[in-house]
DNA sequence: CGACCCTTTGAGGGCCGTCAAAGGGGGTGG
DNA sequence: CCACCCCCTTTGACGGCCCTCAAAGGGTCG
């Protein structure tokens, strides 16, 4: 039902468990071989450790194979903003390709497994496999959408609306990946501090608002798993509009 | 000194006034010819009119040739969030390529001139001119950075810090394009409502904060032009860190 | 000259931030 | 196996930043 973050990606991309999920675009055998030739190595990063350190340029690109991570930025005095969460299949490190100073950090939220690509292969992707280049752009545009959405949430929604939004959003992303169990629950590894940092709220107010939503029976977070008990009510509260699910690329 | 929004782009891309600016990456003659062959037509959009209507999928891509615009999203009850501002050279419409529902609107802030590309040419760019495909990704990643920065601002900065951030940011972008006059002023076509919508503030509070910064002499907005009188103080207030200026692609 | 948009200022209140402290749960070491 | 510790969660108190409501002033265009 879920991808085990302790199992590294298989040696052959053809055996990749992610690729077997219906939410990812199929690739040709040729493209698959090319992707595998780009894959430098495999790497495990433990929960709480940096995948890309803030203010450091990473010479690598990654595909998140298993586990959750997040992109973030911090101000000089320590205030932190989480930009978006990364789930299996997400591509990491593209921003570093086009700027001299690394702009944000990436941290593992759970234990993670990563497929590692040398950044010098990025140009090879575009020049040798145009369709994969197109897909890289696709992934980039898709990540920008996530940030767009989060910006609207942080800029214009009240605390309860923000939390409703985040819960629905993450639940849906986990659902796509087949992580929903028979009880309608998904793994939910965020602490309330993560939620606060993603939503532009304080920890205390995040806790009070979460408890309020839970008390009126909209959702339940128990033992690191999230269930949405009143999806419609949450969607109404957040002004959430489901997007049609569409296959996305996987590099 | 500034690009006149009433002058349409020249017939030949080789005569493009934007391309003569040092902030844009040079292209080969071959690429230039290709870009011109992709350019369907030219379009003027008056201040306040939609370039891409919210909730409509645009079958077109644009390069903003002259004038300012902005991307935004609105909630059902009318609350609006501006995601980022668009200045000459920015590429518009990429998100629409990869999702079924259009996710955001684009509105002209001033009178604008646009170069129009059919969206069916996007694939041609990747397949026939890999380097231009790479550049499209570059532009996409760069726009995401803008949204990242704005998200940090809205999520974690206080009102005065947000405003300082926006003023510096927009001034710098205009400077890159050579829009600074001898008095250190740039065109600044935003209303306070735009500033409020970009920063997640109310109009009233935006006004009061702007006046406060102006009263202590940090900046001046007069006759639609902005001057930064105390750049260092503004940067300290905003925790702003200048990024090295680097040439960017122009499609 | 009136209409409309944008700016400006005041008053009052509520949402959310900070400070403070206790409770719970899992891991580690004695 | 128990004790301790650390991290995360939870709750209360209080204050301030920012929101809403309201209304007047200025500039431009028809």
């Amino acid at each position: 039902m879920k991808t085990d973050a302790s199992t590294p990606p298989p040696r052959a991309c053809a055996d990749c468990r992610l690729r077997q999920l219906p939410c990812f675009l199929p690739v040709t055998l040729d493209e698959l071989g090319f992707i595998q030739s780009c894959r430098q190595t495999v790497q495990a990063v433990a929960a709480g450790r940096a995948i890309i350190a803030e203010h450091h340029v990473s010479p690598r690109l990654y595909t998140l194979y298993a586990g959750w991570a997040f992109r973030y930025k911090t101000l000089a005095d320590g205030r932190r903003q989480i930009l978006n969460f990364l789930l299996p299949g997400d591509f990491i490190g593209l921003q570093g390709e086009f700027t001299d100073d690394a702009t944000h950090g990436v941290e593992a939220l759970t234990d993670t497994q990563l497929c590692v690509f040398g950044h010098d292969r990025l140009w090879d992707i575009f020049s040798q496999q145009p369709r994969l280049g197109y897909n890289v752009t696709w992934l980039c545009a898709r990540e920008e959408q996530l940030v767009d959405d989060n910006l609207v949430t942080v800029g214009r929604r009240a605390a309860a609306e923000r939390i409703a939004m985040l819960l629905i959003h993450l639940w849906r992303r986990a659902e796509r990946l087949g992580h929903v169990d028979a009880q309608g629950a998904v793994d939910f590894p965020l602490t309330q501090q993560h939620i606060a940092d993603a939503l532009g709220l304080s920890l205390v107010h995040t806790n009070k608002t979460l408890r309020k939503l839970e008390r009126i029976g909209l959702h339940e977070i128990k033992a690191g798993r999230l269930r949405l008990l009143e999806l419609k009510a949450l969607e109404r509260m957040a002004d959430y509009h489901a997007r049609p699910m569409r296959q996305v690329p996987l590099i």
Side-chain angles (χ1 to χ4, degrees), chain A:
Chain A
M1 216 57 174
K2 48 178 265 205
T3 310
D4 186 349
S6 61
T7 309
R11 189 161 300 272
C13 285
D15 299 331
C16 178
R17 291 167 62 193
L18 278 183
R19 240 171 246 293
Q20 291 156 22
L21 295 174
C23 58
F24 294 110
L25 275 178
V27 291
T28 65
L29 276 182
D30 187 37
E31 289 165 345
L32 193 64
F34 183 82
I35 290 172
Q36 180 156 347
S37 79
C38 288
R39 194 178 66 170
Q40 226 172 46
T41 176
V42 148
Q43 189 178 340
V45 175
R49 306 301 294 271
I51 294 172
I52 297 177
E54 209 179 359
H55 309 303
H56 284 74
V57 181
S58 166
R60 295 168 164 193
L61 298 163
Y62 305 90
T63 289
L64 184 54
Y65 176 75
W68 291 28
F70 59 89
R71 299 196 309 126
Y72 68 96
K73 277 168 168 283
T74 55
L75 299 181
D77 63 3
R79 283 175 284 180
R80 180 172 79 165
Q81 177 66 42
I82 291 181
L83 303 168
N84 63 289
F85 293 97
L86 301 163
L87 268 63
D90 285 338
F91 198 59
I92 301 175
L94 203 54
Q95 279 75 22
E97 288 302 309
F98 306 108
T99 49
D100 300 319
D101 75 305
T103 55
H104 57 79
V106 181
E107 182 176 317
L109 187 60
T110 67
D111 289 345
T112 55
Q113 297 286 345
L114 302 156
C115 297
V116 184
F117 304 91
H119 84 122
D120 49 320
R121 301 307 303 270
L122 186 62
W123 169 242
D124 296 342
I125 293 178
F126 282 86
S127 59
Q128 294 174 36
Q129 296 281 348
R131 206 174 78 100
L132 293 182
Y134 182 86
N135 286 351
V136 169
T137 307
W138 186 337
L139 288 173
C140 184
R142 189 164 159 275
E143 182 170 90
E144 183 180 344
Q145 274 191 20
L146 295 185
V147 186
D148 284 352
D149 286 340
N150 202 17
L151 176 52
V152 175
T153 295
V154 171
R156 289 296 165 210
R157 277 185 249 252
E161 299 169 345
R162 297 186 206 187
I163 288 184
M165 198 69 194
L166 184 69
L167 296 180
I168 300 169
H169 172 75
L170 288 177
W171 192 91
R172 281 241 139 88
R173 287 180 69 189
E175 179 194 25
R176 269 180 73 84
L177 293 166
H179 288 195
V180 183
D181 68 17
Q183 285 74 46
V186 302
D187 264 329
F188 192 78
L190 313 207
T191 67
Q192 293 182 3
Q193 186 67 65
H194 291 122
I195 299 175
D197 286 350
L199 298 180
L201 296 170
S202 71
L203 173 61
V204 173
H205 197 65
T206 298
N207 174 272
K208 287 175 179 167
T209 310
L210 258 178
R211 301 274 25 243
K212 194 170 67 183
L213 296 193
E214 198 151 4
R215 203 173 320 115
I216 62 179
L218 298 190
H219 77 282
E220 182 183 79
I221 296 176
K222 206 166 50 180
R225 296 184 70 76
L226 164 69
R227 285 205 301 160
L228 304 184
L229 303 173
E230 295 288 347
L231 181 56
K232 292 295 173 217
L234 285 167
E235 289 181 343
R236 233 176 299 118
M237 169 177 283
D239 192 22
Y240 180 98
H241 295 283
R243 293 214 182 112
M245 299 243 178
R246 187 170 165 177
Q247 288 188 318
V248 297
L250 176 64
I251 305 290

